[in-house]
Amino acid sequence: MNYRFLFTISFLILAVGLSGLFFMIPDDTAVKTEQTVEEQPVVVVKNTTITLASLKKDLPKGALVQAEDYILSEKDVPENDPLVANDIKSLLQEQHNFSLQGFLVSENLQAGSMLSKERLVAPDDPRFLLFSLDPKQEVAYRLNIKPNNSYILDTLQIGQSVSLYSQQDHPYNDQLDTQDFVKLITDVPLLGRRAYTWEEQEKHKGIAGYVTLKLNTEQVKTLYSLPKDAVVMVLPEDGKSKNSANHKGSFIRKLRGQ
């Protein structure tokens, strides 16, 4: 009987001891969770102002961007906003006229699409001519500009359309102090331009610079068919009917004096 009593007392003492240990041990999970919450830094997302260019019409791959093809807008967005990838502010700031005219698109784009650095190819990019020409029927024709016509290099902008004229002595009367000035080709895209320094002009024998034009094979043939003394001039597109340049056969005959 005494053994049973002692066994019962021992069991109760052991149970009380284990219960005390249980309540004294801290909840490590709760402590770790509390520490994690306290140590987590507060992330502050700043806003930034971005410049977006949205297309007003569809543009096929290789098309030269014109000023009227897009509209600019500014937005304040968080720095982690996906629209930041379309920010072209830095690209515009690199252009003297704050314009995308003269860039070309590297893929087919629909109206409403955003222009981005990845979708635009700059005129000085090595890929520019590759994207802008159809190698089967188009060439990048370089036309030298003489110093007395150097104003052309200051006036024309890459991407605009120009017209080509032929200037030469009057074919019917050598005694006339006049020259013929005949329009040859209209709506020619200007792909590039470069003005030479004084040192370069000396090296290139008085050439002030050059413009690069996008011509098809028939248009190139027209230029090579001109008389040797003819001077080809490039001027901004005047907006008149393009039909005036379609009669190039009669123009060539006139320039030849036939």
Side-chain angles (χ1 to χ4, degrees):
M1 187 71 177
N2 291 335
Y3 289 106
R4 290 181 180 178
F5 179 74
L6 291 174
F7 177 76
T8 302
I9 293 297
S10 300
F11 179 78
L12 290 174
I13 293 172
L14 180 61
V16 171
L18 291 174
S19 299
L21 291 174
F22 177 78
F23 286 107
M24 288 177 63
I25 296 175
D27 188 349
D28 292 341
T29 303
V31 173
K32 290 180 180 179
T33 302
E34 184 177 352
Q35 290 177 348
T36 302
V37 173
E38 290 179 354
E39 295 174 358
Q40 194 172 34
V42 178
V43 179
V44 179
V45 179
K46 297 181 180 179
N47 277 12
T48 183
T49 302
I50 61 175
T51 302
L52 302 175
S54 177
L55 280 179
K56 297 165 64 176
K57 65 177 185 179
D58 296 349
L59 286 183
K61 179 180 178 180
L64 287 169
V65 178
Q66 304 296 324
E68 62 271 16
D69 292 341
Y70 63 92
I71 183 171
L72 294 176
S73 62
E74 287 192 346
K75 286 189 177 183
D76 288 328
V77 297
E79 290 181 335
N80 58 356
D81 193 295
L83 282 176
V84 174
N86 296 320
D87 184 18
I88 58 167
K89 181 185 295 183
S90 61
L91 191 62
L92 288 169
Q93 290 173 343
E94 294 172 0
Q95 311 307 311
H96 71 281
N97 56 355
F98 204 73
S99 172
L100 296 177
Q101 179 166 330
F103 285 74
L104 60 80
V105 293
S106 60
E107 58 185 271
N108 296 324
L109 297 176
Q110 296 181 340
S113 300
M114 294 292 180
L115 294 175
S116 63
K117 293 181 179 180
E118 289 72 25
R119 290 175 167 178
L120 293 169
V121 180
D124 57 355
D125 191 304
R127 303 172 298 160
F128 187 80
L129 291 180
L130 178 64
F131 277 103
S132 60
L133 296 173
D134 180 354
K136 295 181 179 180
Q137 58 182 356
E138 295 175 333
V139 297
Y141 185 87
R142 180 179 292 187
L143 180 65
N144 290 329
I145 305 299
K146 294 185 176 181
N148 59 325
N149 296 324
S150 60
Y151 63 88
I152 293 174
L153 300 172
D154 300 323
T155 305
L156 301 179
Q157 296 184 19
I158 297 174
Q160 76 177 99
S161 293
V162 297
S163 294
L164 299 185
Y165 296 79
S166 177
Q167 183 182 27
Q168 70 170 63
D169 293 336
H170 198 286
Y172 304 114
N173 193 336
D174 295 337
Q175 304 300 319
L176 291 177
D177 189 19
T178 60
Q179 289 186 318
D180 273 352
F181 198 68
V182 181
K183 180 183 289 188
L184 299 173
I185 309 172
T186 63
D187 198 27
V188 177
L190 181 69
L191 299 180
R193 62 176 182 177
R194 184 184 174 188
Y196 289 145
T197 62
W198 288 109
E199 292 77 11
E200 288 175 322
Q201 289 188 36
E202 290 293 330
K203 179 181 178 181
H204 293 280
K205 299 180 180 180
I207 300 298
Y210 64 84
V211 294
T212 304
L213 307 169
K214 180 179 179 179
L215 298 178
N216 59 41
T217 53
E218 290 301 318
Q219 292 169 332
V220 174
K221 290 178 182 178
T222 297
L223 298 183
Y224 281 123
S225 300
L226 296 174
K228 292 182 179 180
D229 63 340
V231 177
V232 178
M233 298 282 294
V234 54
L235 294 174
E237 182 65 56
D238 57 14
K240 294 181 180 180
S241 174
K242 299 176 184 178
N243 292 331
S244 60
N246 291 336
H247 306 292
K248 57 189 178 192
S250 60
F251 285 151
I252 297 301
R253 288 192 297 272
K254 177 181 179 183
L255 290 172
R256 289 175 175 172
Q258 299 176 354

